[in-house]
Amino acid sequence: MGREQWKKIWVGSAGNMVEWFDWFVYATFAVYFADSFFPEGNETANLMNTMGIFAVGFFMRPVGGWLLGRIGDRKGRKAALTLTVTLMSASAVLIAIAPTYDVAGYGGVAVLMLARLLQGLSVGGEYAASATYLTEASAPEKRGFASSFQYVSMTAGQLVGLGLQIVLQRNMSEAALHSWGWRIPFVVGALGAGIVFYLRRSMLETEVYAESGAAEQQDRGTLKVLWQHRREAFLVMALTMGGTVAYYTYTTYLTKFLSKSAGMEKSTASLVSFCALFVFMCVQPLAGMLSDRIGRRPLLITFAVGSTFLTVPIMTMLKHADTFWPALGLALLALLVITGYTSINACVKAELFPTGIRALGVGLSYAVANALFGGTAEYVALWFKNAGAESGFYWYVAGCAAVSLVVYLTMRETRDIDLNRVAAVRAGEKASPSGATSVTPAS
């Protein structure tokens, strides 16, 4: 890769890291502030209420995917990426200053809800813009490798959040963390977003977008054009379903599962997540490089088969893994399986759409699936736990992976598609003699 391509990947990834830091610290610090915004009562119920607000943010993501995806297709990837980080900064400030139940009653919940809606709007657009930007900014034979940095940066954001949590846990009392210490990460997130805003103002537009002529198309980034590619949109939703449920199960929910269900100390549970996620982050580019050599489908199928058949035994053993090393080993196994999806899902989705509808096609389709399955994963897990049937959630995760497995087995390979020419990737298309998927010119 050339220096300019690396610069584009760096700026896009740095912003993505801050976006997902702000998004994930809500989930990782929820165990400390859940009781601050609701009356005293059942601890699990309060956590469910707080994670219900977390899920609300996901249902704003389709709006963000539509609005900011439209901006990305009409005004360019840079414009969308700059706007997303601005919205995220504002939401982090709101959470940092939100009043507790003792101060403002349910007024604090209202502020929390508004902040999560802004975060949902921002992240809904960020995924589309960053997936599109990282895919377009790379050389055709390096798209899998380059796009893998989306989950490298996402995971890095979560690691920074978990690292900050570990530092605070070891230097603050439990009472102080519950009282005011949980606000610290949101202040950090707001400051980080301000720095990234400055970086993104000087970022370069992708050559694929600049040279495609998409900026001159009158109907670019519209739902009318997206409807012409509805098969690809539904394909994105279906291939996202299993991946997003599994991802949130073993990332944001893992710490809570280990502390609430396995009986592990919160600090130890956080350390397990941190170590597992660090390894997970490091293997993303390796898997992306592998997909550039053997194709996307083998990795997706490996993920789906592993998640379908290993989720129940892994989760069952995790519930009884109340010490560090067994929990870490199981978490690593689960995350390595999920790597087959996370490392390449961004480029697979971007490769399905033509340039003039790529950001909207990826953003809206992914956001809808993420709202329905990813955003509700923790709430569904806690619902099963509260109902006394926690193992039901394990089967739910495995079932979602099984649905995506059917999609991966029937979809066509996207690795060799020309981003400037792709109009669609349909099940009935035939591969060219060279092995590249044949496509029709973009309409």
Side-chain angles (χ1 to χ4, degrees):
M1 281 191 180
R3 182 177 180 181
E4 289 301 319
Q5 288 181 329
W6 276 112
K7 181 179 179 180
K8 291 176 181 178
I9 292 173
W10 156 245
V11 176
S13 298
N16 200 41
M17 181 184 75
V18 173
E19 286 270 351
W20 290 94
F21 168 86
D22 286 336
W23 180 260
F24 281 123
V25 290
Y26 181 99
T28 55
F29 278 84
V31 292
Y32 292 108
F33 66 75
D35 293 334
S36 298
F37 293 96
F38 298 95
E40 292 184 9
N42 184 287
E43 184 178 348
T44 300
N46 283 346
L47 186 57
M48 283 182 65
N49 289 332
T50 308
M51 297 317 300
I53 296 175
F54 180 75
V56 167
F58 278 86
F59 285 98
M60 196 65 178
R61 287 174 67 164
V63 179
W66 165 71
L67 178 62
L68 294 165
R70 177 183 173 88
I71 291 173
D73 285 328
R74 298 184 71 85
K75 302 296 183 182
R77 317 314 188 200
K78 174 183 174 180
L81 286 168
T82 303
L83 182 54
T84 59
V85 78
T86 303
L87 293 171
M88 186 59 76
S89 178
S91 65
V93 171
L94 283 175
I95 298 177
I97 64 174
T100 63
Y101 180 83
D102 292 337
V103 174
Y106 285 107
V109 173
V111 173
L112 206 61
M113 182 76 74
L114 175 61
R116 286 302 296 173
L117 291 175
L118 287 176
Q119 284 192 335
L121 187 69
S122 174
V123 173
E126 174 69 24
Y127 181 90
S130 63
T132 302
Y133 188 87
L134 290 171
T135 302
E136 291 181 349
S138 61
E141 69 278 6
K142 299 289 186 180
R143 288 201 300 255
F145 172 72
S147 66
S148 71
F149 281 88
Q150 183 179 46
Y151 270 80
V152 169
S153 55
M154 284 173 62
T155 307
Q158 189 173 6
L159 282 172
V160 173
L162 275 172
L164 180 57
Q165 185 181 54
I166 292 170
V167 170
L168 294 177
Q169 286 172 335
R170 298 188 184 285
N171 292 277
M172 297 181 68
S173 67
E174 188 84 358
L177 277 170
H178 281 275
S179 176
W180 60 273
W182 60 264
R183 298 181 187 273
I184 294 175
F186 298 103
V187 174
V188 172
L191 294 174
I195 295 172
V196 171
F197 174 80
Y198 173 78
L199 292 174
R200 283 189 168 178
R201 288 186 63 187
S202 60
M203 72 191 300
L204 302 173
E205 187 58 80
T206 67
E207 292 181 7
V208 170
Y209 182 82
E211 298 176 359
S212 67
E216 284 72 48
Q217 298 171 11
Q218 294 300 312
D219 57 355
R220 64 194 183 278
T222 63
L223 294 175
K224 177 183 177 181
V225 176
L226 181 59
W227 182 249
Q228 297 172 14
H229 302 281
R230 56 189 178 276
R231 172 179 281 183
E232 290 69 46
F234 285 114
L235 179 60
V236 168
M237 292 184 216
L239 68 87
T240 298
M241 179 181 177
T244 191
V245 171
Y247 178 74
Y248 280 98
T249 297
Y250 294 113
T251 55
T252 59
Y253 182 59
L254 180 63
T255 303
K256 287 183 281 293
F257 180 77
L258 290 175
S259 62
K260 299 293 183 182
S261 298
M264 186 177 291
E265 290 289 332
K266 290 179 182 177
S267 58
T268 305
S270 296
L271 187 59
V272 169
S273 292
F274 183 91
C275 294
L277 285 171
F278 180 80
V279 176
F280 173 72
M281 178 182 68
C282 292
V283 301
Q284 298 306 299
L286 299 178
M289 290 172 65
L290 180 62
S291 80
D292 287 326
R293 295 181 64 87
I294 68 173
R296 322 298 188 208
R297 290 181 68 246
L299 272 72
L300 291 172
I301 292 171
T302 299
F303 148 70
V305 171
S307 289
T308 299
F309 295 103
L310 294 179
T311 294
V312 174
I314 287 176
M315 293 295 289
T316 301
M317 288 187 286
L318 270 174
K319 187 173 182 178
H320 298 92
D322 55 356
T323 56
F324 176 81
W325 289 108
L328 177 61
L330 290 166
L332 280 174
L333 174 60
L335 288 172
L336 288 175
V337 169
I338 295 171
T339 295
Y341 167 81
T342 55
S343 60
I344 58 170
N345 81 96
C347 66
V348 170
K349 295 164 188 174
E351 287 165 345
L352 292 173
F353 296 96
T355 305
I357 197 65
R358 186 167 292 132
L360 177 61
V362 173
L364 182 58
S365 307
Y366 168 80
V368 169
N370 215 242
L372 293 174
F373 301 103
T376 59
E378 291 197 54
Y379 191 85
V380 171
L382 291 170
W383 183 87
F384 274 110
K385 177 178 175 60
N386 209 39
E390 191 166 31
S391 61
F393 176 67
Y394 315 161
W395 290 99
Y396 169 76
V397 176
C400 290
V403 173
S404 288
L405 174 60
V406 175
V407 177
Y408 303 151
L409 290 171
T410 56
M411 69 181 287
R412 303 295 291 183
E413 181 58 63
T414 64
R415 178 188 59 178
D416 297 315
I417 287 176
D418 184 346
L419 292 183
N420 280 321
R421 297 184 62 247
V422 60
V425 177
R426 294 187 171 89
E429 289 174 347
K430 296 180 180 180
S432 66
S434 64
T437 305
S438 60
V439 296
T440 56
S443 57

